[in-house]
Structures are given as C-alpha cells and as structure tokens.
Amino acid sequence: MMNRIVRVMRSVDRGDEQGFVLANVIIFGMIVTMIVAAMVALSTAGSLKSGNDRNYQNAAAAAYAGLADYQAKISNDNGYATYGNKDAQFSKDSGSVFQGDNGNVAFTSSGSTWAPVVGTTDEFFRYEVDNSKYASQGFLRVRVTGKSGTKTRSLVADLRGDGFINYLYFTQYESADNDITGDNCTNDYQWQARSRTCDPVQFASGDVLNGAIRSDDDFTACGSTFNSSVEDHSGKVLAPSGCTTTPKYNGGQPSAAAYLGLPSLNTNMAQEARTDLPTTVPRPGCLYTGPTKVQFNSGGTMTIWSPWTRFTQVTATSHSSDAAAADALCGSSAALQSASGATIPTLPTNLMYVQGVPTTKSDPNYWGSSYPQRYTNTYCTTKVTVSGNSVSYSDNQTFSNGVGYPTSNEWIGTDSTPGTASSVYSCTAGDVFVSGRFSGHMTIASAGTVWVTGDITYTDPNDDILGLVGQNAVEVYNPMTCWNYQSVYYQGYGNYVTCRNVQLVRSAGTNLTIDAAIASNNGTFYVQNYDQGSALGTLTVKGSIAQKYRGTVATSNSGNGKVSTGFTKNYIYDNRLLTTAPPKFLQPVSTSYGVTTQVEVQPAYNPDGSCATTGGKCR
C-alpha cells in the first residue's frame, strides 16, 4: 500500500489532479481504518480492565463479608476464639492454639475450598485467627482473604468485645447489695419501680467521673460531673428526693443502652492454674488457698502470705508434677506458710486465683480437721475470753484470720452493737488482702473478697496493668477502733462488751488511690464503714469498675449532695483498656466484638487457593 501511495504522490508532482484526489482518498481511508482499529483495541482493553476492576472490588467486599462472618460467630459464642486452623501460616506464626475448626470451611488454608459469601455467586472468603493474646489481653487478630474471579485481597483486623471493661463504671443494679446493708428490700431495677425495691445509691455533688459509664439499671445523681458518655436502661438519670443541684453532662446527654450483664461466677478463672489443660491453659498461673495477703514491692516483686496453700499448680485431682516450676513461679508452700512469706516476681502476664479452703478430700489443698502451723493463735482455733477493756468481745481482737485481720484493737460492729470477726474476716474463705506499688501485668481474682488495704499504684502508668476480681466484693479496708468500752447485760445472753465511742483509723481528709481494672461479678465495690466518722478525702480510681450491685463509698447531704462520711469519688478511665485488658480478666456473659484496628495487607492466598509467597515462604 505504501508503494501505491508513493506512486500516487509522484503523479501529483507531475500535475495529475486525478492522482491528487485519489491520494487524499487513500490517506483518509487509512486514517479511518487506524481509528477504528484503535477503538476496537481500546474497547477490548476496557472490557478486560472493567472485569478486573469489578473482581478487585468484589474481592475486597468478600474479605469484609468474611470479617463480618467471624464477628458474628465470636459474638454469639465467646468460646469460638478457641477454633481455628493450626496449619494456617498466620495462626502458626503467632503460636495460636486451637481445639479444632468446628467444621467451618472458612478456616481452610489450602486447596480450592473457599467459604461462599451468602447471596453471591462469585465472592468467597477464608480467615485465619491469632488468639495468642485472647486469654491474656482479651483481643483477637484475624486475617481475612476475599476472592472474586482472578483477584484476591486480604485484610488484618483486631477484634475486641464490647464488655464492661470498656467503661469507667458499669453496674447491673444501682442499689446496694442488701446482703451487705441488711436492708429489708429487694434488689430490683430502679426502672421496675416496685414497692420493695432497694433505694438507689447516688452520685454526689463532688463526684467527678472522667470516662464513659453504663448501667443495666438507671443512674441516680445530684450535682455530679460526668465528663464522658452516660448510658443506662432508660436513657435518663434520676434525681434523689430533695436534690436541688443538676448534674453536669459534659460528655453529652444520657442515652439508652442494651443489657450487658456480668457472669454470676468467676470460678472458671481458677482453672488458669491447671497444668492438665494445655489447649485452653497453655500458660498456667498460680492458685492460693484460704486467706492470702499480697504486698507489692518496688522493683516488680511481691510478697505473699498464704498459710492454707499446699500446692499452687494443680490438675483435676492432684498437684502439678513439676513442683520446681510451680515453686519458682508462685512461691513454695513452706515460704507461703512462713512468717516472712514468699517474695517472688509479679506473675508475668498471668493470673493468681485465691480459692476457699476445700472440703473435698480429693482436692490437693484439702486439710481435713487439721490447721496450718500459723493458726495456733487465731480466733479460728481459740476461744477468746473478754476481760475488762483489753478485748472488745469474744472471737475478735487481738486474734486474726491467719494473715493479720482484724488488726490489733480493731473494732467490728457499730457503737452499741458488736459484730463478730468471723463474719467480716473469714478464716477459710478465698479472701485476698492487697496493697503496694505494682509493676507488671497481672490479675488477682478471688472466690471471696478482694480487700484493698492501702494505696495500689503503678510504677509505670504507661506499661503496668493490674486486674482485681472479687466474686463477693472488692472492698476498701477502712477499719475502726474503740476508745470507750462498756459492759452491757442482755437478758438471756449475759454480759457483752460494747463500745460507747468508735473512730476510724484513717484521719479525716485522707486520700486513697487504686490503679486497677476492678470487677465484682456477683457483688460490689465499696468502702468498709463508709457511714462512720468524718468525711475522708478523695478515692481516686484510675482504671475501670464493674459490679453487680452499686457499692457505697460515702453518705451525703440530701440537699446539696456533699459528702458527709466516706470518700469523694474521682474516677478516671484508663484508655488503654479500650484495646487491652489485664491478663485473663473476667469476661462478660455476652458481648459483640468490634474492630479496633484494620489494615489491608498483601494477599495471603492466590485465586487457586494456594498460599501466596514472599521469599519462597507462605505469607
């Protein structure tokens, strides 16, 4: 064709007009042909690109659908965190441990099998789970790969349950526990408004809450300051009778929230000291028995006294076969039962659980009718005779529960009515008494009461994290003494020594600080003798508080809401708890799992189902 064009052009040079016209026609035809060819090529390429774009977008949609699928499964069953595929590269690299795949094809890590996205014909997904930090910190990491056509895309997401630890303050009921108060009422919700419902505990005018709060009940407040969100059942905060001061809602007006709930028991935490459950408990913690005292020391150590403890790591029916490892981690029984206690490092990312003295013979910590050596001068084994003013009443002071409570000259009861030491400080319950400057990552859980006997503060507030979980209560130790005894005769009972004047050991205005995530799953967080003496200072909690019943820390003036006895609250949420929890902390009954972080990564799988590689290794 080009030779023809050249000949035509030469004829033009000779003045041949017909040749000139013909040349123009040929050139124009060639241009049109080239344009048409280009348009066809462009159309074909566009069609291919359009298909690829659609597959690329659908692969991302499939990955998000896979993430939603896993979120739904873990939200419906917290135990789903134990399912996965140990052979998946993502899970293998993290050291995750699973008890199976629950028949879920989305856990497939090889071959051509993919889980289909419901409602589509060309979208599929797979996911891999990293549960290595679920038991210790409460979050999961999931890598999800979506596939459509010849395209795959992967994303990694961190999941965390919307539990009570996400809030500075959570309660199931806003009334106090009537087993503690002795009030003749019923612990119902305030929004049920029954005639015998226990009165609510209110936030007072000096109380400041720096964090989100939530209740399955309705809050009551008079002049309090809320610097973050307020959520309760009805979406409103009640005002107590006679209150004239309106609360400040600096974080927005109250809103309604769904039921969250607390587990009724924390005994499942005791299994964290079992050495015969490698799948569910790959890193056993420590078990202590009977009243136990923990003093945190500087430098990341703690001293523990636990006279009833024989074995700190156990199986279902016996003790751990590796006694040396248990002693190194938890302290030897000889040291725990000694006067000086066992000084050990705080448990590394682990849990200590304090159980009551067992009554089952097969339990390795069973004592039968015998007592530990340190129980030779306690009210548990000795009948105390009241004589003059040296001792207030039978089975009280100066004899203790084996770890020093009640203390010398401590008065238990009211001004006119003595109580019994055993009703407050049991000799055999799983109670733990805690104080000191903490360093590390640890949770202390109790089958009874966690007593806070002094300040508990972090050495490094940016790194240290502590959990306190009491089945019955987390209680601030606030003892009284008597400085004026008298003997009173009661018809049919004989002589009783009573106290005409009691006073708190703490001086008026004294402050207390607790750095911890606090939970009482079947009880409350409150202050001992909160209604006695003069007003104390400020109770500062830096962390979170979750409790079944609202705990009382003070009494207040009905008119202006100012504190009359007990502590003024200064509760500050530890924002780190939004993304991490103390090791093996208490889990909610049910929760939804939300995404805290999410990022797209290189595809983990090829469209044929084989793993994508980098440097010859599966990603």
Side-chain angles (χ1 to χ4, degrees), residues 395-423:
D395 84 357
N396 190 354
Q397 54 195 31
T398 58
F399 299 88
S400 78
N401 63 347
V403 291
Y405 299 92
T407 57
S408 180
N409 296 319
E410 180 178 343
W411 175 265
I412 297 174
T414 63
D415 283 18
S416 59
T417 306
T420 57
S422 59
S423 67

PDB file of all heavy atoms in Angstrom, residues 395-423:
ATOM      1  N   ASP A 395     -14.125 -13.760 120.217  1.00  0.00           N
ATOM      2  CA  ASP A 395     -13.596 -14.069 118.876  1.00  0.00           C
ATOM      3  C   ASP A 395     -13.349 -12.833 118.024  1.00  0.00           C
ATOM      4  O   ASP A 395     -13.555 -12.826 116.832  1.00  0.00           O
ATOM      5  CB  ASP A 395     -14.451 -15.130 118.169  1.00  0.00           C
ATOM      6  CG  ASP A 395     -15.680 -14.625 117.431  1.00  0.00           C
ATOM      7  OD1 ASP A 395     -15.968 -13.430 117.466  1.00  0.00           O
ATOM      8  OD2 ASP A 395     -16.332 -15.452 116.797  1.00  0.00           O
ATOM      9  N   ASN A 396     -12.866 -11.770 118.622  1.00  0.00           N
ATOM     10  CA  ASN A 396     -12.496 -10.590 117.840  1.00  0.00           C
ATOM     11  C   ASN A 396     -11.009 -10.312 118.009  1.00  0.00           C
ATOM     12  O   ASN A 396     -10.189 -11.085 117.555  1.00  0.00           O
ATOM     13  CB  ASN A 396     -13.364  -9.403 118.276  1.00  0.00           C
ATOM     14  CG  ASN A 396     -13.208  -8.216 117.356  1.00  0.00           C
ATOM     15  OD1 ASN A 396     -12.389  -8.223 116.464  1.00  0.00           O
ATOM     16  ND2 ASN A 396     -14.001  -7.193 117.569  1.00  0.00           N
ATOM     17  N   GLN A 397     -10.611  -9.269 118.660  1.00  0.00           N
ATOM     18  CA  GLN A 397      -9.212  -8.900 118.750  1.00  0.00           C
ATOM     19  C   GLN A 397      -8.593  -9.522 119.983  1.00  0.00           C
ATOM     20  O   GLN A 397      -9.293  -9.779 120.954  1.00  0.00           O
ATOM     21  CB  GLN A 397      -9.094  -7.374 118.793  1.00  0.00           C
ATOM     22  CG  GLN A 397      -9.932  -6.750 119.891  1.00  0.00           C
ATOM     23  CD  GLN A 397     -10.116  -5.262 119.718  1.00  0.00           C
ATOM     24  OE1 GLN A 397     -10.148  -4.761 118.631  1.00  0.00           O
ATOM     25  NE2 GLN A 397     -10.204  -4.566 120.800  1.00  0.00           N
ATOM     26  N   THR A 398      -7.344  -9.787 120.030  1.00  0.00           N
ATOM     27  CA  THR A 398      -6.302  -9.497 119.070  1.00  0.00           C
ATOM     28  C   THR A 398      -6.020 -10.673 118.130  1.00  0.00           C
ATOM     29  O   THR A 398      -4.986 -10.712 117.482  1.00  0.00           O
ATOM     30  CB  THR A 398      -4.995  -9.175 119.815  1.00  0.00           C
ATOM     31  OG1 THR A 398      -4.681 -10.324 120.623  1.00  0.00           O
ATOM     32  CG2 THR A 398      -5.119  -7.963 120.713  1.00  0.00           C
ATOM     33  N   PHE A 399      -6.920 -11.634 118.107  1.00  0.00           N
ATOM     34  CA  PHE A 399      -6.708 -12.826 117.307  1.00  0.00           C
ATOM     35  C   PHE A 399      -7.181 -12.580 115.877  1.00  0.00           C
ATOM     36  O   PHE A 399      -8.180 -11.915 115.649  1.00  0.00           O
ATOM     37  CB  PHE A 399      -7.460 -13.998 117.933  1.00  0.00           C
ATOM     38  CG  PHE A 399      -6.987 -14.294 119.320  1.00  0.00           C
ATOM     39  CD1 PHE A 399      -7.540 -13.649 120.419  1.00  0.00           C
ATOM     40  CD2 PHE A 399      -5.973 -15.209 119.527  1.00  0.00           C
ATOM     41  CE1 PHE A 399      -7.097 -13.919 121.688  1.00  0.00           C
ATOM     42  CE2 PHE A 399      -5.521 -15.486 120.812  1.00  0.00           C
ATOM     43  CZ  PHE A 399      -6.082 -14.840 121.891  1.00  0.00           C
ATOM     44  N   SER A 400      -6.445 -13.172 114.886  1.00  0.00           N
ATOM     45  CA  SER A 400      -6.728 -12.833 113.492  1.00  0.00           C
ATOM     46  C   SER A 400      -7.085 -14.064 112.679  1.00  0.00           C
ATOM     47  O   SER A 400      -7.147 -15.180 113.187  1.00  0.00           O
ATOM     48  CB  SER A 400      -5.512 -12.142 112.873  1.00  0.00           C
ATOM     49  OG  SER A 400      -4.526 -13.111 112.539  1.00  0.00           O
ATOM     50  N   ASN A 401      -7.269 -13.841 111.386  1.00  0.00           N
ATOM     51  CA  ASN A 401      -7.627 -14.930 110.463  1.00  0.00           C
ATOM     52  C   ASN A 401      -6.402 -15.628 109.893  1.00  0.00           C
ATOM     53  O   ASN A 401      -6.509 -16.363 108.925  1.00  0.00           O
ATOM     54  CB  ASN A 401      -8.490 -14.382 109.320  1.00  0.00           C
ATOM     55  CG  ASN A 401      -7.737 -13.367 108.475  1.00  0.00           C
ATOM     56  OD1 ASN A 401      -6.665 -12.882 108.849  1.00  0.00           O
ATOM     57  ND2 ASN A 401      -8.305 -13.018 107.326  1.00  0.00           N
ATOM     58  N   GLY A 402      -5.242 -15.389 110.437  1.00  0.00           N
ATOM     59  CA  GLY A 402      -4.022 -16.041 109.980  1.00  0.00           C
ATOM     60  C   GLY A 402      -3.147 -15.157 109.134  1.00  0.00           C
ATOM     61  O   GLY A 402      -1.963 -15.447 108.940  1.00  0.00           O
ATOM     62  N   VAL A 403      -3.684 -14.057 108.584  1.00  0.00           N
ATOM     63  CA  VAL A 403      -2.868 -13.115 107.807  1.00  0.00           C
ATOM     64  C   VAL A 403      -2.987 -11.691 108.369  1.00  0.00           C
ATOM     65  O   VAL A 403      -2.697 -10.717 107.688  1.00  0.00           O
ATOM     66  CB  VAL A 403      -3.231 -13.137 106.297  1.00  0.00           C
ATOM     67  CG1 VAL A 403      -2.797 -14.454 105.666  1.00  0.00           C
ATOM     68  CG2 VAL A 403      -4.712 -12.904 106.084  1.00  0.00           C
ATOM     69  N   GLY A 404      -3.474 -11.582 109.625  1.00  0.00           N
ATOM     70  CA  GLY A 404      -3.415 -10.296 110.309  1.00  0.00           C
ATOM     71  C   GLY A 404      -4.693  -9.502 110.405  1.00  0.00           C
ATOM     72  O   GLY A 404      -4.654  -8.327 110.793  1.00  0.00           O
ATOM     73  N   TYR A 405      -5.842 -10.090 110.073  1.00  0.00           N
ATOM     74  CA  TYR A 405      -7.113  -9.344 110.106  1.00  0.00           C
ATOM     75  C   TYR A 405      -8.152 -10.104 110.924  1.00  0.00           C
ATOM     76  O   TYR A 405      -8.322 -11.307 110.718  1.00  0.00           O
ATOM     77  CB  TYR A 405      -7.624  -9.107 108.682  1.00  0.00           C
ATOM     78  CG  TYR A 405      -6.655  -8.291 107.866  1.00  0.00           C
ATOM     79  CD1 TYR A 405      -5.685  -8.926 107.085  1.00  0.00           C
ATOM     80  CD2 TYR A 405      -6.675  -6.903 107.912  1.00  0.00           C
ATOM     81  CE1 TYR A 405      -4.774  -8.183 106.364  1.00  0.00           C
ATOM     82  CE2 TYR A 405      -5.770  -6.152 107.189  1.00  0.00           C
ATOM     83  CZ  TYR A 405      -4.811  -6.802 106.416  1.00  0.00           C
ATOM     84  OH  TYR A 405      -3.906  -6.056 105.711  1.00  0.00           O
ATOM     85  N   PRO A 406      -8.822  -9.397 111.865  1.00  0.00           N
ATOM     86  CA  PRO A 406      -8.715  -7.964 112.154  1.00  0.00           C
ATOM     87  C   PRO A 406      -7.384  -7.623 112.819  1.00  0.00           C
ATOM     88  O   PRO A 406      -6.763  -8.470 113.448  1.00  0.00           O
ATOM     89  CB  PRO A 406      -9.878  -7.715 113.110  1.00  0.00           C
ATOM     90  CG  PRO A 406     -10.090  -9.038 113.778  1.00  0.00           C
ATOM     91  CD  PRO A 406      -9.794 -10.067 112.739  1.00  0.00           C
ATOM     92  N   THR A 407      -6.959  -6.377 112.652  1.00  0.00           N
ATOM     93  CA  THR A 407      -5.718  -5.921 113.266  1.00  0.00           C
ATOM     94  C   THR A 407      -5.933  -5.703 114.762  1.00  0.00           C
ATOM     95  O   THR A 407      -7.060  -5.674 115.255  1.00  0.00           O
ATOM     96  CB  THR A 407      -5.243  -4.613 112.617  1.00  0.00           C
ATOM     97  OG1 THR A 407      -6.287  -3.634 112.733  1.00  0.00           O
ATOM     98  CG2 THR A 407      -4.911  -4.829 111.152  1.00  0.00           C
ATOM     99  N   SER A 408      -4.848  -5.518 115.465  1.00  0.00           N
ATOM    100  CA  SER A 408      -4.914  -5.302 116.912  1.00  0.00           C
ATOM    101  C   SER A 408      -5.762  -4.072 117.224  1.00  0.00           C
ATOM    102  O   SER A 408      -5.597  -3.018 116.610  1.00  0.00           O
ATOM    103  CB  SER A 408      -3.501  -5.119 117.470  1.00  0.00           C
ATOM    104  OG  SER A 408      -3.534  -4.920 118.853  1.00  0.00           O
ATOM    105  N   ASN A 409      -6.687  -4.243 118.168  1.00  0.00           N
ATOM    106  CA  ASN A 409      -7.578  -3.170 118.625  1.00  0.00           C
ATOM    107  C   ASN A 409      -8.602  -2.718 117.584  1.00  0.00           C
ATOM    108  O   ASN A 409      -9.224  -1.678 117.735  1.00  0.00           O
ATOM    109  CB  ASN A 409      -6.791  -1.949 119.117  1.00  0.00           C
ATOM    110  CG  ASN A 409      -5.956  -2.274 120.340  1.00  0.00           C
ATOM    111  OD1 ASN A 409      -6.408  -2.987 121.236  1.00  0.00           O
ATOM    112  ND2 ASN A 409      -4.723  -1.779 120.367  1.00  0.00           N
ATOM    113  N   GLU A 410      -8.768  -3.499 116.524  1.00  0.00           N
ATOM    114  CA  GLU A 410      -9.800  -3.147 115.544  1.00  0.00           C
ATOM    115  C   GLU A 410     -11.172  -3.493 116.108  1.00  0.00           C
ATOM    116  O   GLU A 410     -11.390  -4.583 116.643  1.00  0.00           O
ATOM    117  CB  GLU A 410      -9.571  -3.890 114.224  1.00  0.00           C
ATOM    118  CG  GLU A 410     -10.612  -3.575 113.152  1.00  0.00           C
ATOM    119  CD  GLU A 410     -10.346  -4.283 111.832  1.00  0.00           C
ATOM    120  OE1 GLU A 410      -9.213  -4.762 111.618  1.00  0.00           O
ATOM    121  OE2 GLU A 410     -11.291  -4.358 111.026  1.00  0.00           O
ATOM    122  N   TRP A 411     -12.113  -2.564 115.977  1.00  0.00           N
ATOM    123  CA  TRP A 411     -13.482  -2.782 116.450  1.00  0.00           C
ATOM    124  C   TRP A 411     -14.366  -3.154 115.267  1.00  0.00           C
ATOM    125  O   TRP A 411     -14.369  -2.501 114.228  1.00  0.00           O
ATOM    126  CB  TRP A 411     -14.024  -1.526 117.134  1.00  0.00           C
ATOM    127  CG  TRP A 411     -15.470  -1.652 117.525  1.00  0.00           C
ATOM    128  CD1 TRP A 411     -16.548  -1.233 116.817  1.00  0.00           C
ATOM    129  CD2 TRP A 411     -15.982  -2.279 118.695  1.00  0.00           C
ATOM    130  NE1 TRP A 411     -17.715  -1.535 117.468  1.00  0.00           N
ATOM    131  CE2 TRP A 411     -17.390  -2.184 118.636  1.00  0.00           C
ATOM    132  CE3 TRP A 411     -15.388  -2.907 119.796  1.00  0.00           C
ATOM    133  CZ2 TRP A 411     -18.217  -2.688 119.631  1.00  0.00           C
ATOM    134  CZ3 TRP A 411     -16.210  -3.409 120.790  1.00  0.00           C
ATOM    135  CH2 TRP A 411     -17.616  -3.296 120.702  1.00  0.00           C
ATOM    136  N   ILE A 412     -15.131  -4.220 115.445  1.00  0.00           N
ATOM    137  CA  ILE A 412     -16.049  -4.660 114.401  1.00  0.00           C
ATOM    138  C   ILE A 412     -17.458  -4.538 114.926  1.00  0.00           C
ATOM    139  O   ILE A 412     -17.808  -5.128 115.949  1.00  0.00           O
ATOM    140  CB  ILE A 412     -15.761  -6.106 113.980  1.00  0.00           C
ATOM    141  CG1 ILE A 412     -14.364  -6.199 113.375  1.00  0.00           C
ATOM    142  CG2 ILE A 412     -16.788  -6.596 112.972  1.00  0.00           C
ATOM    143  CD1 ILE A 412     -13.929  -7.603 113.071  1.00  0.00           C
ATOM    144  N   GLY A 413     -18.276  -3.769 114.246  1.00  0.00           N
ATOM    145  CA  GLY A 413     -19.645  -3.550 114.667  1.00  0.00           C
ATOM    146  C   GLY A 413     -19.974  -2.070 114.638  1.00  0.00           C
ATOM    147  O   GLY A 413     -19.304  -1.278 113.960  1.00  0.00           O
ATOM    148  N   THR A 414     -20.996  -1.671 115.345  1.00  0.00           N
ATOM    149  CA  THR A 414     -21.365  -0.262 115.471  1.00  0.00           C
ATOM    150  C   THR A 414     -21.032   0.207 116.877  1.00  0.00           C
ATOM    151  O   THR A 414     -20.467  -0.538 117.683  1.00  0.00           O
ATOM    152  CB  THR A 414     -22.869  -0.071 115.199  1.00  0.00           C
ATOM    153  OG1 THR A 414     -23.604  -0.795 116.189  1.00  0.00           O
ATOM    154  CG2 THR A 414     -23.242  -0.589 113.821  1.00  0.00           C
ATOM    155  N   ASP A 415     -21.408   1.448 117.201  1.00  0.00           N
ATOM    156  CA  ASP A 415     -21.110   1.970 118.531  1.00  0.00           C
ATOM    157  C   ASP A 415     -21.667   1.072 119.627  1.00  0.00           C
ATOM    158  O   ASP A 415     -20.995   0.771 120.604  1.00  0.00           O
ATOM    159  CB  ASP A 415     -21.709   3.373 118.694  1.00  0.00           C
ATOM    160  CG  ASP A 415     -20.873   4.421 117.980  1.00  0.00           C
ATOM    161  OD1 ASP A 415     -20.083   4.023 117.117  1.00  0.00           O
ATOM    162  OD2 ASP A 415     -21.030   5.608 118.289  1.00  0.00           O
ATOM    163  N   SER A 416     -22.896   0.636 119.461  1.00  0.00           N
ATOM    164  CA  SER A 416     -23.571  -0.065 120.537  1.00  0.00           C
ATOM    165  C   SER A 416     -23.681  -1.568 120.337  1.00  0.00           C
ATOM    166  O   SER A 416     -23.978  -2.299 121.272  1.00  0.00           O
ATOM    167  CB  SER A 416     -24.983   0.508 120.728  1.00  0.00           C
ATOM    168  OG  SER A 416     -25.727   0.378 119.525  1.00  0.00           O
ATOM    169  N   THR A 417     -23.426  -2.032 119.114  1.00  0.00           N
ATOM    170  CA  THR A 417     -23.619  -3.452 118.828  1.00  0.00           C
ATOM    171  C   THR A 417     -22.344  -4.056 118.266  1.00  0.00           C
ATOM    172  O   THR A 417     -21.903  -3.669 117.176  1.00  0.00           O
ATOM    173  CB  THR A 417     -24.766  -3.651 117.824  1.00  0.00           C
ATOM    174  OG1 THR A 417     -25.935  -2.992 118.311  1.00  0.00           O
ATOM    175  CG2 THR A 417     -25.043  -5.126 117.623  1.00  0.00           C
ATOM    176  N   PRO A 418     -21.744  -4.989 119.014  1.00  0.00           N
ATOM    177  CA  PRO A 418     -20.552  -5.638 118.485  1.00  0.00           C
ATOM    178  C   PRO A 418     -20.907  -6.633 117.385  1.00  0.00           C
ATOM    179  O   PRO A 418     -21.980  -7.232 117.394  1.00  0.00           O
ATOM    180  CB  PRO A 418     -19.973  -6.354 119.707  1.00  0.00           C
ATOM    181  CG  PRO A 418     -21.155  -6.635 120.564  1.00  0.00           C
ATOM    182  CD  PRO A 418     -22.103  -5.484 120.356  1.00  0.00           C
ATOM    183  N   GLY A 419     -20.005  -6.782 116.441  1.00  0.00           N
ATOM    184  CA  GLY A 419     -20.156  -7.816 115.439  1.00  0.00           C
ATOM    185  C   GLY A 419     -19.224  -8.959 115.775  1.00  0.00           C
ATOM    186  O   GLY A 419     -18.661  -9.023 116.861  1.00  0.00           O
ATOM    187  N   THR A 420     -19.053  -9.873 114.845  1.00  0.00           N
ATOM    188  CA  THR A 420     -18.105 -10.971 115.037  1.00  0.00           C
ATOM    189  C   THR A 420     -17.048 -10.901 113.948  1.00  0.00           C
ATOM    190  O   THR A 420     -17.351 -10.652 112.780  1.00  0.00           O
ATOM    191  CB  THR A 420     -18.809 -12.335 114.974  1.00  0.00           C
ATOM    192  OG1 THR A 420     -19.484 -12.450 113.727  1.00  0.00           O
ATOM    193  CG2 THR A 420     -19.816 -12.473 116.109  1.00  0.00           C
ATOM    194  N   ALA A 421     -15.810 -11.145 114.353  1.00  0.00           N
ATOM    195  CA  ALA A 421     -14.711 -11.053 113.405  1.00  0.00           C
ATOM    196  C   ALA A 421     -14.887 -12.026 112.250  1.00  0.00           C
ATOM    197  O   ALA A 421     -14.596 -11.714 111.095  1.00  0.00           O
ATOM    198  CB  ALA A 421     -13.392 -11.313 114.113  1.00  0.00           C
ATOM    199  N   SER A 422     -15.393 -13.227 112.564  1.00  0.00           N
ATOM    200  CA  SER A 422     -15.529 -14.240 111.521  1.00  0.00           C
ATOM    201  C   SER A 422     -16.541 -13.847 110.460  1.00  0.00           C
ATOM    202  O   SER A 422     -16.502 -14.343 109.336  1.00  0.00           O
ATOM    203  CB  SER A 422     -15.915 -15.584 112.142  1.00  0.00           C
ATOM    204  OG  SER A 422     -17.130 -15.465 112.852  1.00  0.00           O
ATOM    205  N   SER A 423     -17.471 -12.952 110.787  1.00  0.00           N
ATOM    206  CA  SER A 423     -18.449 -12.515 109.793  1.00  0.00           C
ATOM    207  C   SER A 423     -17.846 -11.533 108.802  1.00  0.00           C
ATOM    208  O   SER A 423     -18.400 -11.296 107.734  1.00  0.00           O
ATOM    209  CB  SER A 423     -19.658 -11.879 110.487  1.00  0.00           C
ATOM    210  OG  SER A 423     -19.283 -10.660 111.117  1.00  0.00           O
TER     211      SER A 423
END
